[in-house]
Amino acid sequence: TAAQPQRVFISYGRADALDFARRLADDLQERGGHQVFLDSASIEKGGLWEVRIEQGIRQATVLTAVLTSHALREESVCRDEVVFALNEGKKVVPIRADPDPNVRPTLLLARRNWVDFTEDYEAGLDQLLRCLAGDDSALRPPRVPTVTGVAPLDFGIEIAKFSSRFTGRQWLAAEIDRWVGAGTERALVIVAAPGVGKSSVAAWLSLSRPDV
């Protein structure tokens, strides 16, 4: 049990993780004493869903990202919730709830310590409760934290920050698509004054193109 209750936002896909999310919410509240934001229970009837989701993340101390096929779809709002949480400086903890080996963490979650609920729910809950109590050693390290032997810098927060500001510039996106499709082994240099959006373009490319 945490010395100080945490405010936990549960991000999940309703199509395949609603029952899991409800069980987790109940256990975190009853057995851990934490305050939980779960959209199905925390958003009042008639409440503005998008506004309440933003408020829930802003008020949270931790966002738990439940990894299932529905949550990891390209168009899933769960991806937006993770980006928004990182942009707000919140701690994000991935939770593996689907044993399917094809369910893999997204770019922004791939190098984060995580919790596995697929083999033993009670063991996973114990690890998460210990983490919420301040023991980060209870979490599992990323499966492949490094390839070269040197741990890479984590640009997840920067990618979330700059990609959330990316808007418009369809002409540039189309030009880059044409350039990428024209061949390989070349360098593309984007030149612009400070503040125009070069970092936003780089962050957008990192999220939108699997080959970047």
Side-chain angles (χ1 to χ4, degrees), residues 69-80:
S69 297
H70 193 74
L72 298 177
R73 295 172 302 129
E74 289 186 7
E75 65 275 19
S76 173
V77 70
C78 296
R79 288 176 174 259
D80 297 331

Side-chain angles (χ1 to χ4, degrees), residues 74 79 83 106-108 159 163 166 168-169 172-174 176-177 180 200-212:
E74 289 186 7
R79 288 176 174 259
V83 170
T106 61
L107 171 67
L108 296 183
I159 292 174
S163 62
F166 186 84
R169 304 183 182 90
L172 179 59
I176 291 176
D177 280 337
V180 171
S200 294
V201 171
W204 165 74
L205 284 172
S206 297
L207 284 177
S208 63
R209 296 196 62 96
D211 50 349
V212 174

Side-chain angles (χ1 to χ4, degrees), residues 19 31 37 41 45 54 74 91 94 96 129-130 133-134 152 196:
D19 291 341
R31 297 163 64 175
F37 185 101
K45 184 176 181 180
E54 290 184 7
E74 289 186 7
K91 181 175 182 177
R96 186 166 179 251
L129 289 174
R130 286 167 54 196
V196 170

Side-chain angles (χ1 to χ4, degrees), residues 96-110:
R96 186 166 179 251
D98 189 337
D100 185 347
N102 293 319
V103 175
R104 301 173 182 176
T106 61
L107 171 67
L108 296 183
L109 299 175

Side-chain angles (χ1 to χ4, degrees), residues 132-207:
L132 295 175
D135 181 10
D136 284 340
S137 67
L139 300 179
R140 298 192 179 196
R143 291 184 174 181
V144 187
T146 176
V147 176
T148 62
V150 178
L153 296 175
D154 183 0
F155 287 101
I157 294 178
E158 284 76 14
I159 292 174
K161 175 182 177 182
F162 288 112
S163 62
S164 67
R165 298 177 180 177
F166 186 84
T167 182
R169 304 183 182 90
Q170 289 87 351
W171 65 270
L172 179 59
E175 186 66 22
I176 291 176
D177 280 337
R178 285 194 294 270
W179 181 85
V180 171
T184 60
E185 299 181 358
R186 297 171 299 147
L188 172 66
V189 180
I190 299 178
V191 181
V196 170
K198 299 184 296 299
S199 296
S200 294
V201 171
W204 165 74
L205 284 172
S206 297
L207 284 177

Side-chain angles (χ1 to χ4, degrees), residues 22 24-37:
R22 285 174 171 170
L24 180 61
D26 290 341
D27 287 337
L28 290 179
Q29 291 173 128
E30 296 173 5
R31 297 163 64 175
H34 302 291
Q35 302 174 29
V36 177
F37 185 101

